[in-house]
Amino acid sequence: MTLSASAQYPPQNFYVEPFPENLVRIFPLPPGFVEYTWPPIQLVYLGFYLTKLGCKTIVTESHYIDRDYIHEHSAFYSRSLRGYPNYCQRIHFFNAPFGEQEWRAFVTDVDHRVQSAKSLQDSYLGFIVVRPLPGSPIGRSVLVTYGNKTDSGLTRSFGPVRDYPVHLGGFDLTVRGLPFQQQDQGVSACATIALWSAIHNTAAKENLYVPTPAQITQAASRYVLSSGRSFPSEGLNLSQMCEGVRGAGLEPLVIHSVSVESDRFQLLSYLNSGLAPVLGIRSIDGGDGHAVCAVGLKLGNIAPQTDPDFHYLDAGSAVRAVYIHDDRLGPYASAEIGPWTLGNGHIATGLLIRWPDKDIMNEQSVLLWMLVPMPAKARVPISRMRILGLNLAQAAGELFPEFSKRITFDCSYRFASQYRRSATQLGLSAAGLYGLNCEIVLSRYVGVIELSIPEGPLFDVLLDATETRANPSAVAFVVRTEFPKKYVAQLGLVAKNTGARMFI
């Protein structure tokens, strides 16, 4: 008997239908015994989330090759007895209603191609990759974030998001967000997925290859295997996670939780810098630890100063909640931050993760540590920048009494080139503008300590981020719009004492 086989390319189909709100309807129950809750919480959450975004239409690609899943398939699923396909589906979401005929018109009407592209882009909410894995179908997914304001008037900020190109039916679209996916416990558990999300924006800034979850697990478990094997993955410990960050060409910075005030400030600073910390948390009910990726903040008013000896305000006190990618739930989940008293009397940083359905209890956890994937050339940590900023704000409040208990300090990393481009908006004189752009050498990343009052910014202190200590790394004081000219000479003395140049 002669066996022969002819390879055939599968057809590609696009299906257009109204958004069902309950996404479970388009995810059939897997056959046989299901050892997990069905439907998965992730599907329920995504239905709620997309409903809040006003989704009206979905367009499904029947055959999509996803880079992350194809690596998972090669490393693990291709060796299984069950014949897992090597391709996925991809579902796109739009907040404008249209049907099959309108979609065909978008694609085929050449005369209105520009208008069609704009219409699709203006209504595009992002995509979800659907893997052929019955227990964990949600693969690489990028959805837009919530708007800038909450219903109660608080401010939302999503620093680590970036634009992702999407090619759909001949159209080039973009979605601004940060990728999320479900852990599959084959090649990835929660720590791997949190790291994968956290690395995305930073790696892109450094022009580095973004590793897949399979590659992160392999790099993290290269030297230490807590469970004896890389795949199936039983999860990563903190040391392995640090190794996974190094494998991506970045440097791991571990920050152990110290106090609510410090944790709030560091979350604010790193997220505003476009860096996404991985948060190690543990439920107060006990059990194993869990890892999530912080992607945004919910901000209120800065708290007033209550200590009579302090003359400054802490920008971190405005942080009310952090938005997280939690692979048990979904993207951009809200976790309220506040003090939590443990049984031993220690006050920890509590995270109350808000589940979308009232029938699912909210989970109270405590923060154990943060792991920030850092660019190699950003060495001075926010914690040391904070100490210098605190001292500068205290000194300014004492030297300039009109600023006392009104001056706020904040810290972040910026590209030096980006800061210089923004210099035309800082209110500098021609000499100051030229000096900042052409008469001083700055590191690729600069640490920026910004001191401001409610009316606007007073001055910035630029730090050489390649140093490890903040105090000797000050290279420039940049006087901003709201700083009174009568105090320039005194500020010049402060700059001189720190070894920095002043630009007015």
Side-chain angles (χ1 to χ4, degrees), residues 172-453:
D172 294 329
L173 308 178
T174 60
V175 54
R176 188 165 184 82
L178 197 70
F180 161 85
Q181 68 173 287
Q182 222 179 335
Q183 63 166 294
D184 66 344
Q185 297 183 342
V187 301
S188 62
C190 65
T192 297
I193 295 303
L195 265 185
W196 172 79
S197 292
I199 287 170
H200 258 259
N201 192 34
T202 309
K205 286 182 177 180
E206 294 295 284
N207 296 315
L208 296 171
Y209 173 87
V210 179
T212 65
Q215 291 169 324
I216 290 174
T217 299
Q218 288 170 328
S221 57
R222 182 177 296 123
Y223 304 114
V224 179
L225 288 169
S226 55
S227 63
R229 64 193 307 176
S230 297
F231 304 132
S233 175
E234 297 293 334
L236 306 176
N237 59 37
L238 183 54
S239 297
Q240 289 174 311
M241 293 176 70
C242 290
E243 201 60 43
V245 173
R246 294 188 190 97
L250 301 170
E251 294 297 328
L253 175 63
V254 178
I255 306 161
H256 292 282
S257 178
V258 176
S259 67
V260 179
E261 294 75 22
S262 175
D263 294 338
R264 277 178 167 152
F265 188 89
Q266 299 212 60
L267 281 168
L268 175 70
S269 299
Y270 284 110
L271 285 164
N272 282 348
S273 302
L275 302 170
V278 175
L279 310 183
I281 62 176
R282 176 173 287 122
S283 171
I284 61 169
D285 297 329
D288 296 332
H290 183 55
V292 298
C293 177
V295 296
L297 296 164
K298 187 184 293 183
L299 303 171
N301 295 324
I302 296 173
Q305 182 58 260
T306 57
D307 193 319
D309 295 329
F310 295 154
H311 298 274
Y312 60 85
L313 305 177
D314 189 338
S317 64
V319 176
R320 299 289 183 269
V322 59
Y323 287 100
I324 59 174
H325 280 1
D326 186 341
D327 75 285
R328 304 169 304 174
L329 182 56
Y332 313 116
S334 176
E336 296 177 12
I337 296 180
W340 184 267
T341 303
L342 301 176
N344 59 7
H346 175 71
I347 298 178
T349 298
L351 291 177
L352 178 60
I353 301 175
R354 292 289 185 183
W355 303 82
D357 193 320
K358 63 183 180 181
D359 295 331
I360 303 174
M361 293 184 64
N362 297 329
E363 180 182 277
Q364 180 68 56
S365 299
V366 293
L367 179 65
L368 305 177
W369 45 260
M370 301 180 226
L371 171 60
V372 188
M374 296 286 293
K377 292 184 178 180
R379 295 173 181 166
V380 57
I382 291 293
S383 58
R384 292 179 183 172
M385 290 169 58
R386 172 180 163 86
I387 293 172
L388 178 57
L390 185 153
N391 289 328
L392 287 170
Q394 177 73 1
E398 293 173 349
L399 284 172
F400 317 125
E402 65 194 84
F403 302 149
S404 181
K405 300 191 186 303
R406 299 178 68 240
I407 188 167
T408 301
F409 75 96
D410 198 356
C411 302
S412 63
Y413 299 99
R414 298 273 296 279
F415 279 118
S417 57
Q418 182 187 47
Y419 189 88
R420 282 178 162 140
R421 282 196 301 272
S422 69
T424 55
Q425 310 299 318
L426 303 183
L428 293 171
S429 65
L433 184 60
Y434 185 84
L436 180 60
N437 280 285
C438 301
E439 294 180 352
I440 187 172
V441 178
L442 298 175
S443 53
R444 171 178 167 83
Y445 287 91
V446 290
V448 181
I449 301 174
E450 182 179 81
L451 293 99
S452 59
I453 55 176

Side-chain angles (χ1 to χ4, degrees), residues 14 102-121 166-173:
F14 286 85
E102 290 90 344
W103 168 251
R104 286 181 175 274
F106 287 150
V107 175
T108 59
D109 189 345
V110 178
D111 294 335
H112 296 87
R113 187 75 173 180
V114 174
Q115 297 94 314
S116 297
K118 184 178 186 305
S119 176
L120 289 171
Q121 179 60 69
V166 178
H167 307 293
L168 176 65
F171 292 99
D172 294 329
L173 308 178

